[in-house]
Amino acid sequence: QVQLVESGGGLVEPGGSLRLSCAASGSIVSIHAMRWWRQAPGKQRETVATISSGGSTYYVDAVKGRFTISRDNAKNTVYLQMNSLKPDDTAVYYCNADLSAVSAIGLKGYWGPGTQVTVSS
């Protein structure tokens, strides 16, 4: 059984910072791309940032220069450092990983339950 669990969300004032973490656990063979998504009320879920197994990164234009995605392969963990936060960043943030597990054939996408980030004064 594979689980992804996010942490680090909360309430922050505009201009503040938060660091999200997502740890994958279970019978994991290998982890490929890892991503952070977000979904604001009434909006579709969108990809915020992606990091490949080799460390290549992608960011949606709205967060470029403010957010940084990184990963610790030894800990099966991905991070999202969020700086200069804006009210528009308010959303539930989800972690997603493409990985191969002992219990499954081939690559499969796994999701965490999400963590709330609220940017408000």
Side-chain angles (χ1 to χ4, degrees):
Q1 195 80 346
V2 174
Q3 281 190 320
L4 272 64
V5 179
E6 303 96 341
S7 61
L11 173 64
V12 64
E13 293 186 347
S17 298
L18 283 175
R19 189 191 194 210
L20 304 183
S21 300
C22 172
S25 62
S27 302
I28 298 169
V29 175
S30 62
I31 303 178
H32 295 248
M34 303 184 82
R35 303 174 190 85
W36 287 98
W37 297 67
R38 66 184 179 186
Q39 186 166 21
K43 295 187 178 180
Q44 287 190 327
R45 192 175 295 190
E46 65 172 352
T47 308
V48 176
T50 302
I51 186 166
S52 70
S53 56
S56 297
T57 58
Y58 158 85
Y59 299 93
V60 69
D61 285 347
V63 308
K64 283 181 180 177
R66 300 188 297 122
F67 291 11
T68 302
I69 188 171
S70 61
R71 62 192 286 171
D72 184 333
N73 292 329
K75 295 182 179 180
N76 290 340
T77 299
V78 62
Y79 305 97
L80 186 68
Q81 178 67 44
M82 305 186 294
N83 299 328
S84 302
L85 282 160
K86 305 175 182 180
D88 283 351
D89 295 317
T90 296
V92 178
Y93 283 71
Y94 298 90
C95 171
N96 159 244
D98 297 333
L99 61 86
S100 57
V102 172
S103 59
I105 298 174
L107 281 179
K108 181 180 175 182
Y110 292 83
W111 290 84
T115 185
Q116 177 70 47
V117 171
T118 302
V119 185
S120 175
S121 55

